[in-house]
Amino acid sequence: MSKHKLSAWFAIWMALLTAAFYRWPDMHMLWWGAIGLSSVAGVIVGVVVHRPERRWPWLLLAAALACFGLGDFCYNVLTDVMGLTNPFPSFPDGLYLAMYPLVAAGLLGFIRSRTGRNDRDALLDAATLTIGLALLSWIFLIDPYVRSHELTAVQKVVSVAYPLGDVLTLAVFARLLTGGARRTGAIMLLGLGTTGLLVADVVYGLIQLNGSWQVGGPTDLGWVLCYFGWAAAALHPSMVKLTQPARAGSSDLGVRRIALLGTASLIAPGVLLAEEVLGEVRDASVVAACSGVMFVLVLTRLAGVMANHRQAVARERELRETTTTLVSAADPGEVVAAVRRALARLLPDGTRHIVLLTRDGAAGRSPAPGLVRVAGLSPDLRAELREFSSALRHPLGVTGDTLYLSAPTEALQALQPTFEVLAAQAAMALERIALTAEVNRRSSEAYFRTLIHNTSDVILIVDEGDVIRYASPSAGPVFGDERIAGAELWRFVADDGRVRLAERLGQVRAGRHGHDMIDVRAVRVDGAGLLVEVDCRDLRADPTVGGLVLTVRDVTERRRMEEQLIRQAFHDSLTGLANRVLFADRAEQAVARARRDGSHVGVLFIDLDDFKIVNDTLGHAVGDALLQAVGARISGALRPTDTVARLGGDEFAALLETDSIADLELAAEHITNALAEPFAVAGASVNGISSIGLSTTPDAGSAEELMRQADLALYVAKGAGKGQWRRYQSDLHTAVLERLELRAALDQAVKEQQFVLQYQPIVDLETGEPRGFEALVRWNRPGRGIVAPGHFIDVAEESGLIVPIGRTVLQQAAAAAVRGQRPGAAGAPRYISVNVSARQFRTPGFVEEIRQLLRGSGMAPGTLLLEITESLLLRDDDQVRADLDALRAMGVRLAIDDFGTGYSSLSYLQHMPIDVLKIDKSFIDDIHSSAQQRAVVTAIVQLARTLNLSVVAEGVEHEAQREALRQIGCPYGQGYLFARPLPEAEAFALLPPTDAPAAALA
């Protein structure tokens, strides 16, 4: 019987037994026993027939099937012969459970035989998949057993052991698949058997939970597949590959693997979400543990990907250096020495290895390349390489030599792709050396033509007049026609390459050439361009040659790939600008030139002020388009010789060389003005206002110091407000340190709730009676007392701490309002106004936060007045409008703070749900003495009346200001004339005891 038909005949035999099992159920014990025995026999027959290098993994699989079949036999005896009903637990359960470690050990044997190493990446991928499926096993199988009150402790332990065994089997099989195992017939059949086992065990467990298990149902088909799949895998000819050393699989994360791992990672949150929807979260601790473990596995996997990338880059660099050495090698000894040095560097430090170059192929036939076992080599080679069990082998072309590298199997598998490339380069070098030697040794031109006929390089012989006397047949694929002999060499050289090639030919004819390759742009017969690598040797003294021998190699594609890699390494992929690495390199060169010629170098660090808001409100696609537009505008504002770079995120940089510091400052001003103009991106007008830090070489001695000082200057510029630029000064360092110290102290203040509120009354200008209070935050800084907001609000805005600070202010103000409304209080404020920053307002969930605050504190919505700035309303943002409408729908009042200081617009006053205008103090200061100021305030008051808005004048400090406002008709005022900001008790004491709460300004 043919070895290739064993699996097919076995499939027919198992199909017949299965059909008999279902056709004559009364004899199921006989048929089922035959199925189990056939499976064990199939594995043993497969081992005997195919003779794998290692038999013990297959024998362990046979032992597992034997335990499985013996367990089924014993179970049938208990039920059919002894009349027991579903005996559990019983002796067969011990046999069933013994099967799982045997299967796991057998699969691990395949893994160790194929890889001989611990593939961490494959192990992590398998572990991620297994944990996800193990969680499902816990939810649907293990946890119901653990929680069951009907099972004894022993029954619970045995019941739980089955799904744990399935998880163990799944984990090991997943490790086998993720380790790069090729999808051979044996692998597919093993997977079929394992899938059948797992599906049948799961269905059996679910049925057992319901107490309705019966022999002969559809579930038995899963176990039949297990019996068949594992035995058929052993009978398949590809089973021998499972115990042979294999090339290391790629650790790259392909699309399918990412999708699979992503699905497994989403199982835990999916389970938690499902339980939350069903109303009962029972497995939070298990889900949390699984999520934590998967998070660690993902981070570890990413670290491995980065390590593999670094290792690949190092190997590519070593290959490039070795290739250069091989190109210049003049004899085989130099080639072998270069290969030995390269392999020693490519292997991990301290790795023992043996490099052997021998001629072991039969006449005219070279051994197959790849990873081989030393035990299968010739006696002489075994004696040389006996220290290790495996070796990499690669023939070296026409020389008949074969290169061997023997080392630990794990190191060989990781190095195999690089070894093949290196060996191929060495073979090419040896072939080139041999060919040159033959050219010098042989006197027959016909023989010379025969030798070079099979090389991919083009061999040209050029006479003293630069006419091609001979061209090898490989000139056809390279130049488009192999019949180029008799034509002038320069016909096939592009204009920009002629001078360089002519210089090289002159050096060769003068005897000053060291045989290093040069790149030259060439032209094909059809006019197409290409890039070739040219080496030239002077063989004019050889009577059989009588000219210059040019070796020409087409390197167009190779150079294109190299240029692409270099561009990716030194340019930003989104904007096409220089990246941080290229910028730092050019900065170092510019500083060095400045030291020599006395010129000045300036570095500008540019940071978009509101880029996060653009991403959050308009999306990342618009953000990317804005970054591209910003890069283009910065480049347009500078000279073509200046370097513009994107350092990452929304950070840009510019490098300028000039003779004047004033030019550098003018460039900073130009960029600031250029970016102040809005950008039209994706049909929207987007703000690109930026802060810029400038540093110059008179203040810095190195490129690194120059960039660090620009960063400090940028930090100061951002602290000075939006759209500013600052040049580094020597005193900036101290200021930055103080600002950083303030930021750290402010962060600690948020954690320790060091903020308190003071309240300044808002009074009726006619009666002087308080109508409400503005809540003003103060920082009770330990060791320094009460700190006014002017000393820390800017840092809070810059760092984002304004959001938790604003939340604290709202909570304290609400609590104060509720206390003022209690019976027996000195007085209840009509309302309390609270300032809300634009950043806090735009925080997702702000409206819901206000709703929860009102609901939780019991504060009447009408007693809360939120003060926002004009800048928030100028963006024509649908989301802002929706949030304002939602707040108004709750009953919360809205005011525009510091009205008149921004770009005030009648448009938003007409369309936005605003209740109050608060006139900025700058308009009030001179109202009693300046007719112009009085006219402006009068116009604001009349506008408010027309739009049915209330008006509050801020910063009223003198009686004359109050009287002028009263005459104008401004109803309310706020300022030191009436009271300074006061603690809660003192402020509320200003209210009359009979004052009742009201929902609006009266």
Side-chain angles (χ1 to χ4, degrees):
M1 183 183 300
S2 171
K3 293 182 180 180
H4 296 278
K5 296 182 179 180
L6 283 176
S7 295
W9 285 110
F10 183 74
I12 296 173
W13 170 249
M14 293 295 282
L16 292 174
L17 291 178
T18 304
F21 172 75
Y22 282 101
R23 178 63 181 82
W24 294 287
D26 294 339
M27 300 175 64
H28 71 272
M29 183 173 177
L30 172 63
W31 303 121
W32 195 257
I35 290 173
L37 288 175
S38 299
S39 178
V40 175
V43 175
I44 296 174
V45 169
V47 171
V48 172
V49 171
H50 297 302
R51 299 179 180 275
E53 291 189 18
R54 294 186 179 181
R55 301 185 178 187
W56 61 268
W58 291 106
L59 296 179
L60 285 175
L61 204 60
L65 290 171
C67 287
F68 194 11
L70 185 59
D72 287 337
F73 176 77
C74 294
Y75 183 86
N76 290 331
V77 169
L78 292 177
T79 56
D80 295 357
V81 178
M82 302 179 65
L84 299 180
T85 302
N86 196 15
F88 178 77
S90 59
F91 173 70
D93 290 299
L95 293 172
Y96 290 145
L97 295 177
M99 174 192 68
Y100 294 108
L102 290 173
V103 171
L107 295 177
L108 285 173
F110 295 145
I111 296 171
R112 295 298 297 177
S113 298
R114 289 178 59 80
T115 64
R117 65 192 185 110
N118 294 320
D119 188 344
R120 188 184 69 166
D121 295 336
L123 181 61
L124 291 174
D125 292 347
T128 302
L129 177 61
T130 302
I131 289 174
L133 297 180
L135 178 59
L136 294 179
S137 181
W138 167 268
I139 298 298
F140 295 106
L141 294 177
I142 300 177
D143 186 57
Y145 286 128
V146 174
R147 296 178 183 271
S148 176
H149 298 291
E150 299 177 359
L151 300 178
T152 65
V154 175
Q155 288 176 327
K156 288 182 178 181
V157 170
V158 175
S159 299
V160 169
Y162 279 106
L164 290 180
D166 290 332
V167 171
L168 174 64
T169 303
L170 174 63
V172 180
F173 188 73
R175 169 63 181 84
L176 177 63
L177 290 181
T178 56
R182 292 187 176 182
R183 303 303 189 265
T184 61
I187 286 286
M188 302 300 291
L189 290 169
L190 279 176
L192 176 65
T194 304
T195 302
L197 173 66
L198 298 181
V199 172
D201 282 356
V202 170
V203 175
Y204 172 74
L206 295 175
I207 293 175
Q208 280 285 47
L209 287 174
N210 298 323
S212 58
W213 166 251
Q214 291 183 355
V215 176
T219 307
D220 291 326
L221 285 174
W223 291 316
V224 170
L225 286 177
C226 175
Y227 279 127
F228 164 72
W230 291 352
L235 291 170
H236 197 276
S238 64
M239 62 91 74
V240 297
K241 297 181 180 179
L242 285 176
T243 55
Q244 291 177 346
R247 179 173 180 165
S250 173
S251 61
D252 292 340
L253 291 172
V255 174
R256 288 187 295 179
R257 183 172 289 196
I258 290 176
L260 183 61
L261 295 179
T263 303
S265 301
L266 290 175
I267 289 177
V271 168
L272 191 61
L273 178 61
E275 292 186 349
E276 174 66 23
V277 171
L278 295 175
E280 181 182 4
V281 179
R282 300 185 307 170
D283 306 286
S285 59
V286 175
V287 173
C290 290
S291 299
V293 172
M294 278 199 251
F295 181 74
V296 173
L297 290 175
V298 170
L299 288 182
T300 307
R301 183 70 167 93
L302 290 177
V305 170
M306 295 301 298
N308 291 337
H309 175 70
R310 289 193 296 270
Q311 186 181 50
V313 171
R315 286 180 174 172
E316 180 182 355
R317 183 171 58 252
E318 181 61 36
L319 275 178
R320 189 175 300 171
E321 294 176 357
T322 304
T323 300
T324 302
T325 304
L326 292 175
V327 166
S328 61
D331 58 72
E334 293 182 15
V335 173
V336 174
V339 171
R340 290 181 183 275
R341 285 194 302 271
L343 291 175
R345 294 175 183 173
L346 290 170
L347 287 168
D349 293 339
T351 302
R352 284 275 303 149
H353 65 281
I354 299 173
V355 178
L356 183 63
L357 186 65
T358 183
R359 183 165 298 179
D360 63 339
R365 185 176 60 185
S366 299
L371 183 63
V372 297
R373 293 198 180 277
V374 172
L377 301 176
S378 65
D380 293 341
L381 288 175
R382 286 202 303 269
E384 293 279 354
L385 307 175
R386 64 179 180 275
E387 183 177 346
F388 303 101
S389 61
S390 302
L392 285 173
R393 176 175 64 192
H394 199 286
L396 297 183
V398 298
T399 63
D401 293 328
T402 302
L403 179 65
Y404 284 89
L405 171 64
S406 187
T409 305
E410 177 180 352
L412 295 179
Q413 289 177 314
L415 188 62
Q416 185 172 356
T418 308
F419 175 81
E420 292 174 354
V421 174
L422 180 62
Q425 293 288 340
M428 291 179 62
L430 291 174
E431 183 177 350
R432 175 181 56 79
I433 293 171
L435 180 59
T436 303
E438 286 297 310
V439 169
N440 292 330
R441 185 175 63 88
R442 297 287 184 176
S443 60
S444 171
E445 183 176 349
Y447 187 71
F448 169 71
R449 185 182 299 110
T450 302
L451 284 178
I452 65 174
H453 184 81
N454 296 315
T455 182
S456 59
D457 293 347
V458 179
I459 307 299
L460 303 178
I461 299 178
V462 180
D463 63 14
E464 291 294 334
D466 295 333
V467 175
I468 301 174
R469 287 188 18 239
Y470 171 81
S472 64
S474 52
V478 175
F479 291 103
D481 192 345
E482 65 180 46
R483 298 166 299 178
I484 62 175
E488 189 178 24
L489 173 65
W490 307 112
R491 174 187 171 188
F492 305 101
V493 181
D495 294 340
D496 57 353
R498 293 183 178 181
V499 174
R500 189 178 185 196
L501 183 58
E503 291 178 354
R504 177 52 52 88
L505 295 181
Q507 292 173 358
V508 172
R509 289 186 173 113
R512 299 193 305 268
H513 175 40
H515 303 300
D516 54 323
M517 296 279 194
I518 63 170
D519 286 354
V520 176
R521 296 201 174 274
V523 180
R524 289 169 51 91
V525 172
D526 56 10
L530 70 157
L531 188 65
V532 296
E533 192 176 61
V534 180
D535 183 26
C536 183
R537 290 177 180 270
D538 185 6
L539 296 181
R540 290 177 297 173
D542 190 326
T544 61
V545 179
L548 300 182
V549 177
L550 275 64
T551 304
V552 182
R553 178 179 302 165
D554 185 359
V555 293
T556 306
E557 185 64 22
R558 185 199 304 176
R559 295 294 184 263
R560 188 189 66 80
M561 293 296 297
E562 290 175 355
E563 291 175 0
Q564 182 178 353
L565 291 174
I566 291 173
R567 178 164 185 82
Q568 291 175 353
F570 293 105
H571 289 80
D572 176 56
S573 59
L574 177 64
T575 62
L577 300 174
N579 62 10
R580 184 182 294 272
V581 176
L582 182 56
F583 185 83
D585 180 69
R586 291 186 178 178
E588 290 180 359
Q589 297 178 21
V591 170
R593 284 193 296 270
R595 289 198 191 110
R596 292 192 302 267
D597 56 24
S599 62
H600 297 293
V601 176
V603 167
L604 292 87
F605 274 12
I606 306 158
D607 186 83
L608 298 182
D609 290 327
D610 294 322
F611 183 69
K612 185 177 186 303
I613 295 177
V614 174
N615 268 347
D616 292 343
T617 57
L618 301 179
H620 289 276
V622 175
D624 289 346
L626 175 60
L627 292 175
Q628 293 172 333
V630 167
R633 190 170 291 184
I634 294 173
S635 300
L638 299 176
R639 301 168 302 180
T641 55
D642 299 328
T643 298
V644 179
R646 178 177 175 232
L647 305 183
D650 61 340
E651 297 181 1
F652 293 83
L655 176 69
L656 294 81
E657 299 179 63
T658 182
D659 295 328
S660 170
I661 298 295
D663 291 342
L664 300 176
E665 295 179 344
L666 185 60
E669 187 69 30
H670 283 170
I671 296 176
T672 302
N673 295 335
L675 298 181
E677 295 293 330
F679 290 82
V681 178
S685 180
V686 183
N687 178 21
I689 296 176
S690 303
S691 299
I692 299 178
L694 167 64
S695 64
T696 60
T697 44
D699 299 314
S702 66
E704 182 180 357
E705 188 177 1
L706 197 64
M707 296 172 70
R708 183 171 63 251
Q709 291 177 357
D711 200 18
L712 290 174
L714 173 63
Y715 190 83
V716 174
K718 293 185 74 68
K722 299 178 180 179
Q724 302 286 330
W725 72 270
R726 291 292 183 270
R727 178 184 166 191
Y728 175 82
Q729 302 292 339
S730 58
D731 58 346
L732 284 185
H733 190 68
T734 302
V736 170
L737 289 179
E738 290 176 353
R739 195 171 182 88
L740 290 175
E741 179 185 357
L742 178 61
R743 178 170 176 173
L746 199 59
D747 185 64
Q748 187 67 25
V750 170
K751 296 177 182 177
E752 298 180 359
Q753 295 292 312
Q754 296 176 4
F755 299 98
V756 297
L757 295 187
Q758 292 184 352
Y759 300 86
Q760 187 174 35
I762 300 172
V763 304
D764 188 319
L765 293 179
E766 289 287 347
T767 65
E769 178 183 347
R771 294 293 181 177
F773 295 89
E774 180 176 0
L776 301 171
V777 66
R778 299 291 186 266
W779 179 11
N780 189 11
R781 188 172 182 181
R784 302 192 183 184
I786 299 299
V787 180
H791 295 288
F792 64 86
I793 285 297
D794 287 345
V795 176
E797 287 277 4
E798 174 189 318
S799 62
L801 294 173
I802 193 66
V803 176
I805 292 174
R807 188 178 299 117
T808 299
V809 172
L810 282 169
Q811 294 169 351
Q812 293 187 18
V818 173
R819 285 193 294 270
Q821 295 169 359
R822 292 175 182 170
R830 293 173 181 262
Y831 70 93
I832 292 180
S833 67
V834 179
N835 284 282
V836 177
S837 72
R839 188 166 189 171
Q840 181 184 4
F841 190 92
R842 289 183 176 275
T843 302
F846 174 75
V847 174
E848 183 60 28
E849 181 182 327
I850 296 296
R851 182 179 287 109
Q852 295 296 333
L853 173 69
L854 296 175
R855 186 180 303 164
S857 65
M859 181 182 186
T863 61
L864 178 61
L865 177 68
L866 298 181
E867 298 186 15
I868 59 178
T869 60
E870 289 179 278
S871 62
L872 183 66
L873 305 177
L874 293 175
R875 293 181 175 274
D876 193 20
D877 193 328
D878 293 339
Q879 184 61 48
V880 171
R881 174 60 186 268
D883 289 345
L884 293 174
D885 288 338
L887 290 171
R888 279 290 300 276
M890 295 181 205
V892 176
R893 300 290 174 171
L894 302 170
I896 298 178
D897 193 20
D898 299 333
F899 180 78
T901 58
Y903 300 97
S904 303
S905 170
L906 292 177
S907 174
Y908 73 74
L909 290 179
Q910 289 178 314
H911 298 97
M912 291 293 184
I914 303 301
D915 300 285
V916 180
L917 297 182
K918 298 192 72 174
I919 305 176
D920 186 70
K921 181 180 181 300
S922 61
F923 295 101
I924 308 301
D925 289 339
D926 301 325
I927 190 173
H928 59 287
S929 60
S930 171
Q932 183 179 4
Q933 291 289 69
R934 186 184 184 96
V936 171
V937 175
T938 301
I940 294 175
V941 173
Q942 292 176 351
L943 173 65
R945 286 177 180 171
T946 302
L947 297 177
N948 197 25
L949 304 176
S950 295
V951 182
V952 177
E954 297 183 295
V956 182
E957 298 180 351
H958 307 291
E959 186 64 38
Q961 295 172 339
R962 173 185 179 179
E963 180 62 24
L965 290 168
R966 190 184 62 77
Q967 293 176 3
I968 290 173
C970 179
Y972 304 107
Q974 174 184 353
Y976 284 0
L977 176 64
F978 310 109
R980 290 177 175 273
L982 300 170
E984 176 186 338
E986 297 179 28
F988 288 4
L990 300 176
L991 294 168
T994 58
D995 190 22
L1001 291 166

